[in-house]
Every structure is written in C-alpha cells, then in structure tokens.
Amino acid sequence: MFESAELGHRIPREVYRRREPALRAELLEAQRELKAQARFPVLIVIGGVDGAGKGETVNLLNAWMDPRHIRTHAFPAPSDEERERPRMWRYWRVLPPRGTLGILFGAWHTDPIVERAARTLDGAGFERRIEEVLRFEQMLVDEGVLLLKYWFHLSRRDQKARLEALSANRLTRWRVTREDWARFEQYDRFRKVSGEFLRRTSTAGAPWQVVEGLDPAYRSLTVGESLLAALRDRLSRPDPVAPARGPVPVRSIDRRNLLDALRLRQPLGREDYAVELERWQGRLARLSRDARLRRHAVVAVFEGHDAAGKGGAIRRATAALDARQYAVVPVAAPTEEERAQPYLWRFWRHVPRRGRFTLFDRSWYGRVLVERVEGLCAESDWRRAYSEINDFEAELAAHGVVVVKVWLAIGRDEQLVRFRERERVPFKNHKITPEDWRNRRRWSAYADAVCDMVDRTSTDLAPWTLVEADNKLYARVKVLRTLCERIESAIAAG
Amino acid sequence: MFESAELGHRIPREVYRRREPALRAELLEAQRELKAQARFPVLIVIGGVDGAGKGETVNLLNAWMDPRHIRTHAFPAPSDEERERPRMWRYWRVLPPRGTLGILFGAWHTDPIVERAARTLDGAGFERRIEEVLRFEQMLVDEGVLLLKYWFHLSRRDQKARLEALSANRLTRWRVTREDWARFEQYDRFRKVSGEFLRRTSTAGAPWQVVEGLDPAYRSLTVGESLLAALRDRLSRPDPVAPARGPVPVRSIDRRNLLDALRLRQPLGREDYAVELERWQGRLARLSRDARLRRHAVVAVFEGHDAAGKGGAIRRATAALDARQYAVVPVAAPTEEERAQPYLWRFWRHVPRRGRFTLFDRSWYGRVLVERVEGLCAESDWRRAYSEINDFEAELAAHGVVVVKVWLAIGRDEQLVRFRERERVPFKNHKITPEDWRNRRRWSAYADAVCDMVDRTSTDLAPWTLVEADNKLYARVKVLRTLCERIESAIAAG
C-alpha cells in the first residue's frame, strides 16, 4: 500500500512557485462551477501518520479555495450529545450540502485503525468496522457525493526526523503531542493495520490516495492537482444513471402475499378495549421510566395504508409517555436543506438521545413505497435503499436503540368506507386528498412494494410487525403491545 | 399576582366531560389552519410551582393536538454543546418554525427565579435577567411569534397536600423529587420572587396567565380554552403592520459623515506589507493557540462596500488559523428552514463553541443595510433590528465571545475601478453582478444606512472598526491588527 510513498518524492521549489497561482485560480473556478451546478457535494477525508502534513494541507486547501463554500470538521472526543447517539451520527451531522466542500480532518477511519493498532479492538471487531465503513462510503458514492480520501504517509525514518524537527521549533512545537510520540513507538504496527484498512476500503468509487508527506511542495501540488482533476471530471459529466442492480423479482405465482394472508378484522369490543388500552398504556408508562431505558432509546416507525389509523395509534402511544421524553416526526416533503443531502440525512437528524423516543409518522420507507410506486426516484435509488435502510437500522440497534416498525394493514373495502367518512365529516375533511384516491387506484402495486419491503427489511434487530387494522381498537392495542414487548426484551438484554 | 389563583377554582367533572370532545375538535381545526396559513409559530411556555399539574397539562395538550405539528422541549442540565454557548442558544435552537407549536416545559424564566429564590443571584443580577427576558420576548412578539405563557399556581396548603398525595401513589411517586420538597420549604420565598418576576415580565404582547392548579378539570379547560381563543384570534387577523417607531432621523446638515471623514487611501507598499502581514498573522496564530482563549470564542463580522475586499481580508485571517478551529459563514439568501424562523435564528445557529472562531462574510447587519435601502423588509423591522442586534451581541459578549466588527470602506471611484477590473478579468467575472451596479447607484442611501448602523450598534462590548480600504494591503493588515488587539484585550481581562 505504501511502497510508492516511501520513494522520497520531491519537486523543486520553483516548479511549485510557478504552478501554484494557476492551480489556485483553476481550483477557484472549479469551486465556482460546483456551486453554480449545485448537483453534488465534495467530501475530502484526510488521514495518515502524524507529522506528514495533514494539518498543513487542510490549511492550504482552505487558503486556496473560497472559504465561504468550504467547511472543515475535526473530531476530538465526542460531545455528550454525540456520545448518546449512534457512532455515525457525528459524521452525518456535518455532511456538506450539494454545491459545497467539506473537509473531514480525521473521520470514520480513525478509531478503527487506532483501536486495532492498540489491540483494544479484536480482529472480528475490525472486520465489522471495515464492513460498516464500506457500506457507509458506498451509500455516499451512490448518493452522488464526490468522496476523495487522502492518506499522508511518511517512512519510519522520515516520520521520526519530522517529529523531531517540529518539536525543535518554538512555533510548531504545539503540533506534536505526547500521543504522537507514543504512536510513533507503534509505527510498524500502525503501518500494518492502516495498510490493511486502506487496502480493504479502497473501492472503485472511493479509493484512498496515498501521498508521501515528506516534501511540502510535492504533497501540496499532488493534492491540489488531484482535487482539481476530480472536480473537473465530475463537473463535466452528467449525473450518472446507475443501472438497476439484480434481477427483476417475480411476483408469487399463486398471487398469495403477506398482506392477503392477514385476517384484517380482528375482534375487540369497546369495553375490552378500554381495559386493554389502560393495561398497555400503563405498562408503556412504567417502561418509559425504567432506569434501564437510560441505556437505550426508542425509534418507532408507523407505516400503513392511507386511512389505516397511524395518527390514532401514535396518539394512544404518546398519551402514555412524558411529553418531555418523546418527539413525533411527521415525514412529508423534504425541506430545501434536506434535499441538498443524502436521502437518510433527514432521518438521522431526528435520532433520539439516550432515554428518549422518536415516533416517525411515515419514515425512510417512503423511498421503497410511494417513491418506488409513483416513480419519484430512479429505480437504482430505491433498489439500493433496502440495504442502506438495513445498515441504518443496524447502526441504531448497535447503539442500543430499540427499533420498532409497524405496518397498519386495512382492506380495500375498509379504506373506501373510511375515505367516504372523511369526505362526509367536516372536521375530517382535511385528511382526504386527491393523492389518497390516486394511491388507492394503485392498490396492488403498493401491495407488491409492501411485501418486498417486509421481506427485505424485517431483520432480527429491527423486525416488522404487521398489524391487522380493520378494527381500529384492536390495532391500537396491538401497536402498544408491540412497543412494550420490544422495549422489554431490549432492556432485559441490557 | 396570585390572588385569583388561590380561590379554590373548580368545575364539575361533567362540565368538563361535556366540553372536552368539542374543544379537542376545535383545537385540531385551529391547528390545521395554523399549519395551512404557516404565517406564524405558537410558543407555549409552561412554568409554576411543583405539583400544580404542569406535566399533566403538557401531556394533555400533546394528546389533544395533532402530535405531528407540536414539539415539546424540557431543559434539564445543559449539554456540553449548550454550556459552551451563550445562555439563550439552547432556546433559539428549539424555536418552532412557522405553522407549528412548540411547548417549552420550563424556559428562560426558570433559572432566574430559582437562583434568586436560593439567593445565588443578587438583586442587581435579577434585574438584568428580567431585562434580558423582556427584550428576548419582545423580539419574539415583534417577529410574529404567538407567545403564550402559563403559570400553574397552588396555595401553600394545596401544594403541600398535592405533593403528599403524589408521593403516596406508587404510580406517581416518581414525579416528586427531593428537590421538590426542598423547594417547598422555600414556598414563601419562591412565591415572592416568582410573583415579582411574573409581574415584571407580563407585557401587553406576552402576559403571564396564572392558572390555579388544584382541580385538573378546571386547569385543563382553562388552558385549552385560552389557547383556542388566542389561536382563533390571531388566525383571523391579518399580519399586523407595526408602525415605525421613533422620529425620522435628520441627515447631518453639513453633509459630513463618518465615511467621508476617512482618508480611504492609506499608504503601505508591497514590501512593508509582507513584513506586517507575517507579523500580525503570526500574532493571530499564537493567540489562537493561547490556553486562555479556551474560555472565549471569536465572532468576526466582515461588512463593507461591494468589492471592498472582504473575501481577501477573510482569507488573510483564516490563513493564520488552524482549519479545525474556524468556520466561515457566507450570508446570502436564507434557506427555507431559516425563513420559517425569527430573523436572528440563522445567525444563532452558527455561534461557535468555546475556543473557536466564526467569521461572517456579511451578517445580521444585512437587515439595516441592504434590506433597509432596498425596502426588502418593513420599516418597523429594520428599525427594531438595531436594538435586537445590540441584545444579541451583548449576549455573546456576556458569554465571553469576542465580537469583532469591521466595515471595509472604499470610495466611489475606487469601486468603479474594481468593478471594471472584475468585468475585464475572466476569473473575476463571476464576482460582479447587476445587483452590484444597482447598489452602486444608491451610494448615498447606503452611506446613510452605514452611518446609522455604526452610530447605533457600535458599543463598548462590540465596537465597529472602520477600515480604510482603497489600498487593499493596508486594509488587510488593519483587519488582522484589529482582530489581534480585540482578542488580546479580551483574554487579558479573563
């Protein structure tokens, strides 16, 4: 991995001086075009050994480019707001919007490498982290992010010399910390681990570019020219139309599916309902105050046919919770700031801190439901969404978040009755729109989408619960019961 | 303040049962209309004595209304991200956007009352906090926020009885903390202090509504009806056209002004510039690493005529800083999420944590410059902006943030030369727009606006520095010097 970066690359100072002004002008011009097109963001990830000029390069890029459209983020010890959320949250929150550049000084690669080098992470754990990084970066690339990863390298001898030189100068001494020296003692181990990590996470869409850090002129020009070339290449190409991957699924030959197999009208009378409602709300209320829940959080997803009673089910759940503890997030059209980000960004921003609940009224599953059926996104987008969603929920679960997903299922006839009632009753009138009627006409296309969704995203960590909802009372109780049981098993597991 | 709320208000249970369904439907309808109009947000502030039903009322409002468009926020011990920013930041970050409701369970009133009751805040400090609250709430009201403040009260005897009752019940015992009992011991003192606070912060635009908390039916209906009435009233009225306040200022009779008094072309040659630049950048670099800066942060505002060299001055400053430590925020048209919030919200969101720099390329002063001159906001809006801006900067300064504001001043002739150059040189072309030419035609209107701005917002805490910028080299050095000197005096003061 590092062979070519230990050759002692250098360029003459005057070559640098001659090229630099033009390079800056061209970078500025490319950056202006990036802003004007606003089609994609650029994410520059900086890693490497200490003393190889990471910081200097970041400063240089900031000085060369228009500072108004570039943001640099470093990742020191996480804040408490970050610690209380899944690992990737702190990276999601700083992703650059389209048309801008983000520089990450250290990123998701840092901890796995450092921990593995220090042997606080075992081989299997390292494998899982590599896998996580690969999937995350693939998602970024699929979302159109121009992801550039630079690794600054020094040979063992050069690193030592450079750390000593920095330490000897009063103005640069602060850059060298005790940890830097401690890590240098581990040079060979670090080289081996980072080499392995770089090799494994260099993909066609986002390869690592290893830059020898010895000579400032060489490394600056290398990064500058590489950034310029990548920007120009991408700016000159139209948005890629990614091919839909995988075979077209065949619908089940006998037309039986998951939804048809449900008995949608389940018995439960008013009186029994009152008893059951109180019982499960009481249980949820006690669970929500259970001290063990402070190590967890709850993300509940409410999906279902139009008029299936999502809102009513949500209200029965929140009535059992302390209002300081939950947020209901209605998912409608994304805002402008959300549209400038990868698809899942707008859900990541609502991930709850420990001890809290977020209830999503509709969710990230919109992509594989309405967006798929109505053709609102490219086929390749909704096809890759299944695995992205599974990754997202796995990250939540890994952090102790209880992910509860319910599908409220009603029959076509029951829906018609409810639509008619909404049209008839004045204060329900606003709940029925032409869109509802349109969706209804595509009943079977939606059924296919729902069944695919359940098949592909019902996992042990985050299973789907199908709720028979022709009888609203039964559905509300089943939703409450599902919430309670999932939370109970999570806090029992610790 | 509390006399009417110690009468033992009650209503019969059946009155409540009869009214409640209709009230809920009407509240939902009003909420729907609020969402549809999306003209203003509703902010409900909840305060009061312990055991008076604050939590129950918040839960009830959440159960009654559509949970998708209502958010509740409580304010336990601040997170580190909150502690490292000015006091009001945590409230700014949760303000509800237009068309939605926010419920604050405890808010900016809590700490001053609790601290004053416990005597950790002296009389003068209490006065300052009241003043701060009054100004903040006035700003909200002026921004169109429907601000409803409910205070839940219990007489001394009733509070004791209720705390005892809650403690006796297994299901409600958790609601009563040791602090609740400790505070009860201070009942008389708390009553006196909160009474004083409520009286002083009850204004025409945002009066406190004191609700006796003894009887759940009474307090629930009282809050529900009051909220409904306030919503309906406001929904039925067009946006107020607030009268411009204060007399029209008279321009100075002899036509002399602050800008004219400057000698815009100051001498500084290339060679001296190189020396000075290195000197001040080095000084800024050392200051930025000074341990004492960790108790401060820096907010630098760059304003100036078009083509005055703001970008160049910013780049010379950031070149001296560690890229992990600063952000440059370009201020252009607000995003959709920003437009749904009070004017200063989009600047609050960029307030730096301790030890960091935010450099604003244009700023909140847009309101009293371009928006005033071009008539982009109502006269009443820019007239009140001066004091709102002073409040904002005073809050920053009170938290230790160094606020540096520079105006880069060039002459009309120099501007013409630079505009022409921008038109001529291809890679500067994008920096000149028809808007620039339009602004230029209004030169004297802008000059009036600039002079008013400096007169009204140059304060001891956050003074303006006028920078003579016909010679770019001189201007860049003066900006750097200003930054250094302001930071030095701040960290010397501690």
Side-chain angles (χ1 to χ4, degrees), chain A residues 32 79-81 335 337 430, chain B residues 32 79-81 335 337:
Chain A
R32 196 191 60 72
S79 72
D80 51 12
E81 298 196 14
T335 67
E337 293 188 21
H430 66 276
Chain B
R32 197 192 59 73
S79 72
D80 50 12
E81 298 197 13
T335 68
E337 292 188 23

Side-chain angles (χ1 to χ4, degrees), chain A residues 301 348 364-365 388-399 401 403 405 457-459 461-464:
Chain A
V301 170
W348 270 101
W364 42 95
Y365 285 99
E388 287 174 11
I389 286 171
N390 285 338
D391 291 345
F392 173 41
E393 294 175 359
E395 285 181 64
L396 294 176
H399 189 72
V401 179
V403 183
K405 307 184 293 195
T457 62
S458 202
T459 60
L461 296 170
W464 274 103

